[in-house]
PDB file of all heavy atoms in Angstrom:
ATOM      1  N   ALA B 134     -33.149 242.215 162.679  1.00 85.00           N
ATOM      2  CA  ALA B 134     -34.444 242.590 162.139  1.00 85.00           C
ATOM      3  C   ALA B 134     -34.537 242.269 160.661  1.00 85.00           C
ATOM      4  O   ALA B 134     -35.599 242.426 160.052  1.00 85.00           O
ATOM      5  CB  ALA B 134     -34.670 244.089 162.347  1.00 85.00           C
ATOM      6  N   GLY B 135     -33.388 241.827 160.093  1.00 83.00           N
ATOM      7  CA  GLY B 135     -33.405 241.504 158.654  1.00 83.00           C
ATOM      8  C   GLY B 135     -33.406 242.764 157.790  1.00 83.00           C
ATOM      9  O   GLY B 135     -33.903 242.736 156.676  1.00 83.00           O
ATOM     10  N   ARG B 136     -32.831 243.846 158.340  1.00 84.00           N
ATOM     11  CA  ARG B 136     -32.819 245.099 157.555  1.00 84.00           C
ATOM     12  C   ARG B 136     -31.415 245.478 157.140  1.00 84.00           C
ATOM     13  O   ARG B 136     -30.437 245.026 157.734  1.00 84.00           O
ATOM     14  CB  ARG B 136     -33.424 246.218 158.413  1.00 84.00           C
ATOM     15  CG  ARG B 136     -34.922 246.139 158.516  1.00 84.00           C
ATOM     16  CD  ARG B 136     -35.496 247.509 158.838  1.00 84.00           C
ATOM     17  NE  ARG B 136     -34.916 248.079 160.043  1.00 84.00           N
ATOM     18  CZ  ARG B 136     -35.469 247.966 161.247  1.00 84.00           C
ATOM     19  NH1 ARG B 136     -36.591 247.301 161.396  1.00 84.00           N
ATOM     20  NH2 ARG B 136     -34.900 248.491 162.284  1.00 84.00           N
ATOM     21  N   GLN B 137     -31.329 246.305 156.120  1.00 84.00           N
ATOM     22  CA  GLN B 137     -30.041 246.798 155.675  1.00 84.00           C
ATOM     23  C   GLN B 137     -29.734 248.122 156.367  1.00 84.00           C
ATOM     24  O   GLN B 137     -30.630 248.893 156.700  1.00 84.00           O
ATOM     25  CB  GLN B 137     -30.087 247.044 154.167  1.00 84.00           C
ATOM     26  CG  GLN B 137     -30.070 245.746 153.347  1.00 84.00           C
ATOM     27  CD  GLN B 137     -28.803 244.925 153.559  1.00 84.00           C
ATOM     28  OE1 GLN B 137     -27.697 245.474 153.605  1.00 84.00           O
ATOM     29  NE2 GLN B 137     -28.976 243.616 153.768  1.00 84.00           N
ATOM     30  N   ALA B 138     -28.438 248.365 156.583  1.00 83.00           N
ATOM     31  CA  ALA B 138     -28.054 249.649 157.204  1.00 83.00           C
ATOM     32  C   ALA B 138     -28.051 250.737 156.138  1.00 83.00           C
ATOM     33  O   ALA B 138     -27.813 250.486 154.967  1.00 83.00           O
ATOM     34  CB  ALA B 138     -26.662 249.524 157.809  1.00 83.00           C
ATOM     35  N   ASP B 139     -28.337 251.951 156.583  1.00 87.00           N
ATOM     36  CA  ASP B 139     -28.233 253.115 155.707  1.00 87.00           C
ATOM     37  C   ASP B 139     -26.747 253.437 155.636  1.00 87.00           C
ATOM     38  O   ASP B 139     -26.126 253.849 156.612  1.00 87.00           O
ATOM     39  CB  ASP B 139     -29.047 254.250 156.350  1.00 87.00           C
ATOM     40  CG  ASP B 139     -28.833 255.562 155.640  1.00 87.00           C
ATOM     41  OD1 ASP B 139     -27.941 255.633 154.788  1.00 87.00           O
ATOM     42  OD2 ASP B 139     -29.582 256.500 155.955  1.00 87.00           O
ATOM     43  N   GLN B 140     -26.146 253.230 154.455  1.00 90.00           N
ATOM     44  CA  GLN B 140     -24.686 253.306 154.301  1.00 90.00           C
ATOM     45  C   GLN B 140     -24.131 254.694 154.714  1.00 90.00           C
ATOM     46  O   GLN B 140     -23.131 254.791 155.394  1.00 90.00           O
ATOM     47  CB  GLN B 140     -24.281 252.984 152.880  1.00 90.00           C
ATOM     48  CG  GLN B 140     -22.789 252.763 152.690  1.00 90.00           C
ATOM     49  CD  GLN B 140     -22.269 251.608 153.546  1.00 90.00           C
ATOM     50  OE1 GLN B 140     -22.898 250.554 153.637  1.00 90.00           O
ATOM     51  NE2 GLN B 140     -21.149 251.807 154.229  1.00 90.00           N
ATOM     52  N   GLU B 141     -24.835 255.758 154.299  1.00 90.00           N
ATOM     53  CA  GLU B 141     -24.365 257.105 154.618  1.00 90.00           C
ATOM     54  C   GLU B 141     -24.291 257.330 156.132  1.00 90.00           C
ATOM     55  O   GLU B 141     -23.300 257.823 156.679  1.00 90.00           O
ATOM     56  CB  GLU B 141     -25.332 258.135 154.012  1.00 90.00           C
ATOM     57  CG  GLU B 141     -24.699 259.064 153.029  1.00 90.00           C
ATOM     58  CD  GLU B 141     -25.774 259.885 152.333  1.00 90.00           C
ATOM     59  OE1 GLU B 141     -26.208 260.886 152.982  1.00 90.00           O
ATOM     60  OE2 GLU B 141     -26.203 259.517 151.217  1.00 90.00           O
ATOM     61  N   TRP B 142     -25.373 256.934 156.764  1.00 87.00           N
ATOM     62  CA  TRP B 142     -25.484 257.086 158.226  1.00 87.00           C
ATOM     63  C   TRP B 142     -24.431 256.245 158.910  1.00 87.00           C
ATOM     64  O   TRP B 142     -23.751 256.693 159.841  1.00 87.00           O
ATOM     65  CB  TRP B 142     -26.902 256.712 158.634  1.00 87.00           C
ATOM     66  CG  TRP B 142     -27.244 256.729 160.095  1.00 87.00           C
ATOM     67  CD1 TRP B 142     -27.980 255.805 160.776  1.00 87.00           C
ATOM     68  CD2 TRP B 142     -26.884 257.709 161.078  1.00 87.00           C
ATOM     69  NE1 TRP B 142     -28.123 256.127 162.077  1.00 87.00           N
ATOM     70  CE2 TRP B 142     -27.443 257.331 162.299  1.00 87.00           C
ATOM     71  CE3 TRP B 142     -26.154 258.895 161.032  1.00 87.00           C
ATOM     72  CZ2 TRP B 142     -27.286 258.046 163.454  1.00 87.00           C
ATOM     73  CZ3 TRP B 142     -26.001 259.629 162.206  1.00 87.00           C
ATOM     74  CH2 TRP B 142     -26.573 259.191 163.407  1.00 87.00           C
ATOM     75  N   PHE B 143     -24.220 255.031 158.418  1.00 91.00           N
ATOM     76  CA  PHE B 143     -23.209 254.126 158.974  1.00 91.00           C
ATOM     77  C   PHE B 143     -21.841 254.807 158.882  1.00 91.00           C
ATOM     78  O   PHE B 143     -21.095 254.880 159.858  1.00 91.00           O
ATOM     79  CB  PHE B 143     -23.199 252.809 158.240  1.00 91.00           C
ATOM     80  CG  PHE B 143     -22.141 251.857 158.692  1.00 91.00           C
ATOM     81  CD1 PHE B 143     -22.313 251.111 159.846  1.00 91.00           C
ATOM     82  CD2 PHE B 143     -20.977 251.693 157.962  1.00 91.00           C
ATOM     83  CE1 PHE B 143     -21.321 250.225 160.277  1.00 91.00           C
ATOM     84  CE2 PHE B 143     -19.994 250.840 158.385  1.00 91.00           C
ATOM     85  CZ  PHE B 143     -20.169 250.095 159.551  1.00 91.00           C
ATOM     86  N   ASP B 144     -21.530 255.331 157.694  1.00 91.00           N
ATOM     87  CA  ASP B 144     -20.234 255.977 157.496  1.00 91.00           C
ATOM     88  C   ASP B 144     -20.057 257.142 158.430  1.00 91.00           C
ATOM     89  O   ASP B 144     -18.984 257.330 159.030  1.00 91.00           O
ATOM     90  CB  ASP B 144     -20.078 256.448 156.041  1.00 91.00           C
ATOM     91  CG  ASP B 144     -19.826 255.289 155.097  1.00 91.00           C
ATOM     92  OD1 ASP B 144     -19.354 254.217 155.599  1.00 91.00           O
ATOM     93  OD2 ASP B 144     -20.125 255.421 153.901  1.00 91.00           O
ATOM     94  N   GLU B 145     -21.102 257.936 158.575  1.00 86.00           N
ATOM     95  CA  GLU B 145     -21.035 259.107 159.442  1.00 86.00           C
ATOM     96  C   GLU B 145     -20.729 258.700 160.880  1.00 86.00           C
ATOM     97  O   GLU B 145     -19.812 259.205 161.521  1.00 86.00           O
ATOM     98  CB  GLU B 145     -22.346 259.873 159.367  1.00 86.00           C
ATOM     99  CG  GLU B 145     -22.241 261.254 160.001  1.00 86.00           C
ATOM    100  CD  GLU B 145     -23.564 262.017 159.902  1.00 86.00           C
ATOM    101  OE1 GLU B 145     -24.373 261.664 159.007  1.00 86.00           O
ATOM    102  OE2 GLU B 145     -23.780 262.902 160.722  1.00 86.00           O
ATOM    103  N   VAL B 146     -21.504 257.693 161.367  1.00 85.00           N
ATOM    104  CA  VAL B 146     -21.319 257.232 162.741  1.00 85.00           C
ATOM    105  C   VAL B 146     -19.904 256.709 162.918  1.00 85.00           C
ATOM    106  O   VAL B 146     -19.215 257.010 163.892  1.00 85.00           O
ATOM    107  CB  VAL B 146     -22.388 256.178 163.091  1.00 85.00           C
ATOM    108  CG1 VAL B 146     -22.046 255.524 164.429  1.00 85.00           C
ATOM    109  CG2 VAL B 146     -23.741 256.793 163.155  1.00 85.00           C
ATOM    110  N   VAL B 147     -19.456 255.897 161.966  1.00 89.00           N
ATOM    111  CA  VAL B 147     -18.118 255.288 162.069  1.00 89.00           C
ATOM    112  C   VAL B 147     -17.045 256.370 162.098  1.00 89.00           C
ATOM    113  O   VAL B 147     -16.098 256.325 162.881  1.00 89.00           O
ATOM    114  CB  VAL B 147     -17.890 254.323 160.896  1.00 89.00           C
ATOM    115  CG1 VAL B 147     -16.411 253.941 160.800  1.00 89.00           C
ATOM    116  CG2 VAL B 147     -18.722 253.062 161.095  1.00 89.00           C
ATOM    117  N   ASP B 148     -17.206 257.373 161.261  1.00 85.00           N
ATOM    118  CA  ASP B 148     -16.196 258.443 161.194  1.00 85.00           C
ATOM    119  C   ASP B 148     -16.177 259.273 162.482  1.00 85.00           C
ATOM    120  O   ASP B 148     -15.129 259.560 163.023  1.00 85.00           O
ATOM    121  CB  ASP B 148     -16.414 259.316 159.971  1.00 85.00           C
ATOM    122  CG  ASP B 148     -16.021 258.587 158.709  1.00 85.00           C
ATOM    123  OD1 ASP B 148     -15.172 257.659 158.817  1.00 85.00           O
ATOM    124  OD2 ASP B 148     -16.554 258.891 157.643  1.00 85.00           O
TER     125      ASP B 148
END
Side-chain angles (χ1 to χ4, degrees):
Chain B
R136 284 203 304 266
Q137 286 298 316
D139 171 350
Q140 191 60 43
E141 239 172 82
W142 177 222
F143 177 79
D144 285 338
E145 192 180 337
V146 170
V147 167
D148 287 335

